[in-house]
Amino acid sequence: MIDLSSLTIEKAHKDLLSGTYSAVDLAQAYLTRIEKLNPELNVYLEVFSDVIAQAEVADRRLKAKKEVTMLTGIPFAIKDNILIKGRKVGAASKILEGYTATYDATVIKKLKDAGVIFLGRVNMDEFAMGGSTENSAYGVTRNPHDTTRVPGGTSGGSAAAVAADLCLAALGSDTGGSIRQPASFCGVVGLKPTYGSVSRSGLIAAVSSLDVIGPITKTVSDAETVYRVIQGKDPLDSTSIDTEVKTPVKTLKIGVPKEFLSGGGIDPAVLNAFNAGVETFKALGHTIVDVSLPSLAYALPTYYVVNFAEVSSNLARFDGVRFGLRKEGKTVLDEYVKTRAEGFGAEARRRIMLGTYVLSSGYYDAYYHRACQVRDQIRADFKKVFDTVDVVLTPTAPTPAFKIGEKSSNPLEMYLADIFTVPINLAGVPAISIPSGEVVVDGKKLPIGVQLVATHGGEGTLLSAAKILGK
Amino acid sequence: MISKTEIEKLASLARIDVTSAEKDSFTKQIDAILGYVDQLKQVVIAPISDTASTAVNVFREDVGAHSSLEHTDALLSEAPDREGQYVKVQKIIA
């Protein structure tokens, strides 16, 4: 029996190399566990039928010691908005039911080249809109630490899969916290890379100016391993960039945005976990300083206006003509409205309508144009802060995982839970959520994460700071 | 305060059918959300530039296209209805 609970990519790689077990053995161990736990947790929307065949290919590579990478034979879960050629993909939406991807996302191509095993596609909030995975058309995913609670979202399936040992690593996507918040709720590591450092080609678009793909793993080292494989400029994504990995400094200057933390609404257990992070850094001789990010007060309304506008534009392509669901109607227009009403869930329809509103003539200047200006201001504020500090430390989410159904009837309340994560996407800088403590609620241990933020392309510093906390 | 008529108008512009029960809940929810994002109007900032954003467009040469018909069949086979090399839809001109 392979002990999956203590397994990391680093360890599995050594074991696969030394022949302690084969890639087939490892894949089979995960398949067995998925079979046992998935009915209750609802993490996988589909487990691929050719997992063992994929593992056999990896084993041949390992045996021949040819083209072996750190990821050869490592079993991954993939969020349901990342395309794998020839496999079904649906962004957890009814409107893409039955859709088969016609090409590989660039990140998938890179993982395939590295020899990764794809176990299956995992649940998410429909079209990456939400913060709990409750907006999936295929039912909520349950938090492995307490099955009455949400795993977070939108990459809730990815985070729950890693936390419950239903895969060794997962890919998620982060638009306003969708990798970091579920990582915090599930007690795992979630890296949101610099915007553009990982190609979006083959990621089903939600908010194109904010979306980025990143890894969810058990350790910071594992996140780094995956990030190094998937990053890099890609001709298929004009917003992609190469980031130079600078050698991190030894003694870190860590900024804490005090005004941001005194706003109230933060769970005491979250503050404890945050303070524990501060103390860890202090004890190791790093410097903690207060930093000011005044425009953060407007980050949430700015984020949501940009989100609505881009979501409504990106989802305009789903009309039942070229792919996905089509509902019969009397005219073409009739088919559009019926298809979109039936195919999209409530949150998607709300945001499409809100986006239509903020982009309409007469409102454009007051909302979208304004939001873009404030976004530039937020970006400038972060730039200024990173002139003086190496990383910024904040909580990842204001609370531990909440109960299923607790916020689902009030969309605005769900939005407010993104307070610490959305400014990062607006600024385009990289951030990571690392487990930093836990709180016992109703007899269940709930994990709590903290977030570290670095400057554009500062993944090197970010990851080395994260390793200090991750120990 | 956003009205139910405005919600109907938005739904029609967004090509979405909404049921009458949804009209009520969407009106309430969208009104609350717009009320929240309205605080953007009060932000006192000196715009960094006159344009909507300091982001720049990235252009490339229109080269490196795949060969004709290479992906046609794979893409067409995803259409809900097709006829030969065409996507089939309802009659548009009456």
Side-chain angles (χ1 to χ4, degrees):
Chain A
M1 273 293 272
I2 306 169
D3 177 19
L4 298 180
S5 66
S6 67
L7 204 58
T8 61
I9 293 178
E10 238 173 332
K11 185 171 184 304
H13 175 63
K14 275 183 202 147
D15 292 346
L16 288 169
L17 278 184
S18 66
T20 311
Y21 44 78
S22 67
V24 168
D25 295 336
L26 184 60
Q28 188 55 57
Y30 281 106
L31 289 177
T32 306
R33 197 165 160 84
I34 292 167
E35 202 175 328
K36 195 172 135 207
L37 293 182
N38 202 53
E40 188 189 4
L41 297 178
N42 194 33
V43 167
Y44 282 86
L45 297 177
E46 180 187 358
V47 178
F48 299 138
S49 56
D50 64 341
V51 170
I52 296 300
Q54 292 180 55
E56 282 166 354
V57 174
D59 273 334
R60 280 201 288 277
R61 259 168 95 158
L62 287 158
K63 210 170 165 194
K65 294 197 168 30
K66 234 177 104 185
E67 293 170 337
V68 173
T69 75
M70 279 286 284
L71 296 183
T72 307
I74 302 297
F76 269 64
I78 304 296
K79 188 175 180 179
D80 192 31
N81 60 353
I82 301 174
L83 275 56
I84 310 178
K85 190 177 179 174
R87 298 190 194 271
K88 288 199 168 18
V89 62
S93 178
K94 288 270 184 242
I95 211 159
L96 273 172
E97 176 104 38
Y99 178 73
T100 302
T102 55
Y103 62 99
D104 277 331
T106 298
V107 290
I108 294 299
K109 206 180 162 303
K110 289 184 175 198
L111 290 183
K112 277 184 179 174
D113 289 347
V116 156
I117 316 279
F118 300 107
L119 291 171
R121 57 190 175 101
V122 287
N123 207 6
M124 58 184 281
D125 284 297
E126 182 182 12
F127 284 106
M129 292 181 234
S132 64
T133 318
E134 288 166 295
N135 291 336
S136 166
Y138 304 97
V140 68
T141 293
R142 293 176 182 275
N143 191 312
H145 297 274
D146 177 352
T147 52
T148 66
R149 291 176 188 270
V150 302
T154 63
S155 311
S158 305
V162 175
D165 296 315
L166 303 182
C167 67
L168 192 41
L171 286 188
S173 64
D174 193 311
T175 307
S178 286
I179 286 175
R180 292 158 286 157
Q181 183 252 29
S184 177
F185 282 10
C186 291
V188 292
V189 173
L191 171 67
K192 172 236 175 281
T194 301
Y195 176 76
S197 68
V198 178
S199 170
R200 289 181 295 112
S201 176
L203 171 71
I204 296 176
V207 183
S208 305
S209 74
L210 303 173
D211 296 340
V212 61
I213 296 172
I216 295 180
T217 54
K218 283 200 232 168
T219 66
V220 178
S221 293
D222 282 359
E224 182 171 14
T225 302
V226 179
Y227 170 69
R228 287 192 191 281
V229 172
I230 61 174
Q231 58 84 39
K233 192 171 167 59
D234 175 17
L236 297 176
D237 174 3
S238 65
T239 59
S240 67
I241 48 166
D242 274 323
T243 53
E244 50 172 328
V245 182
K246 292 185 201 111
T247 318
V249 285
K250 280 203 179 109
T251 311
L252 294 164
K253 212 170 179 187
I254 295 140
V256 174
K258 232 181 188 170
E259 77 225 302
F260 199 33
L261 297 171
S262 56
I266 306 172
D267 191 292
V270 169
L271 279 177
N272 284 344
F274 171 76
N275 289 330
V278 170
E279 290 311 316
T280 305
F281 279 123
K282 269 190 191 163
L284 292 166
H286 303 286
T287 320
I288 306 282
V289 292
D290 286 339
V291 291
S292 178
L293 288 154
S295 59
L296 285 195
Y298 299 104
L300 268 175
T302 302
Y303 170 79
Y304 276 100
V305 168
V306 171
N307 184 302
F308 301 150
E310 293 192 34
V311 155
S312 72
S313 309
N314 273 328
L315 297 191
R317 74 191 63 168
F318 298 98
D319 54 12
V321 172
R322 288 152 300 157
F323 37 70
L325 180 79
R326 179 189 293 180
K327 295 307 285 182
E328 294 284 315
K330 290 189 194 78
T331 62
V332 170
L333 182 63
D334 195 29
E335 290 197 345
Y336 291 166
V337 298
K338 281 194 173 131
T339 300
R340 289 164 66 81
E342 181 120 343
F344 288 129
E347 182 64 14
R349 281 178 292 147
R350 257 193 304 271
R351 292 201 197 187
I352 290 169
M353 286 162 70
L354 280 157
T356 307
Y357 183 85
V358 300
L359 288 175
S360 56
S361 70
Y363 295 110
Y364 176 88
D365 280 331
Y367 291 104
Y368 188 67
H369 186 91
R370 191 80 179 136
C372 289
Q373 288 179 326
V374 182
R375 158 147 71 169
D376 281 347
Q377 188 63 51
I378 291 167
R379 208 173 283 183
D381 272 6
F382 270 101
K383 198 166 181 291
K384 210 169 132 200
V385 160
F386 287 120
D387 282 342
T388 58
V389 300
D390 299 302
V391 287
V392 167
L393 181 69
T394 75
T396 305
T399 64
F402 46 86
K403 290 264 185 190
I404 292 168
E406 194 180 318
K407 294 181 198 285
S408 51
S409 61
N410 187 342
L412 185 56
E413 202 182 313
M414 188 81 90
Y415 296 173
L416 299 182
D418 298 341
I419 179 81
F420 296 115
T421 47
V422 299
I424 313 310
N425 297 74
L426 290 170
V429 294
I432 190 167
S433 179
I434 323 136
S436 180
E438 54 190 25
V439 60
V440 178
V441 183
D442 308 332
K444 301 271 169 66
K445 273 187 194 164
L446 304 179
I448 296 169
V450 290
Q451 171 176 255
L452 279 165
V453 190
T455 193
H456 278 100
E459 272 83 355
T461 309
L462 183 74
L463 290 162
S464 68
K467 280 175 192 165
I468 295 168
L469 281 192
K471 268 176 193 148
Chain B
M1 185 76 197
I2 198 160
S3 67
K4 221 158 117 179
T5 325
E6 280 176 282
I7 292 294
E8 283 166 2
K9 171 97 190 298
L10 276 181
S12 139
L13 286 171
R15 303 286 188 253
I16 288 172
D17 222 3
V18 282
T19 65
S20 68
E22 276 177 343
K23 270 176 212 164
D24 288 329
S25 61
F26 278 179
T27 304
K28 227 182 285 166
Q29 290 162 341
I30 288 177
D31 191 62
I33 293 163
L34 286 175
Y36 178 74
V37 299
D38 252 1
Q39 57 179 295
L40 272 185
K41 292 176 182 163
Q42 274 105 55
V43 189
V44 183
I45 52 154
I48 292 172
S49 76
D50 293 337
T51 53
S53 170
T54 52
V56 290
N57 283 316
V58 178
F59 296 100
R60 62 166 177 83
E61 290 301 312
D62 188 15
V63 292
H66 56 79
S67 56
S68 179
L69 298 180
E70 193 183 330
H71 302 292
T72 306
D73 210 56
L75 293 173
L76 274 174
S77 63
E78 289 302 326
D81 200 3
R82 81 183 263 197
E83 197 171 300
Q85 295 289 75
Y86 297 96
V87 170
K88 196 174 169 187
V89 293
Q90 292 273 5
K91 191 157 76 177
I92 291 171
I93 301 164

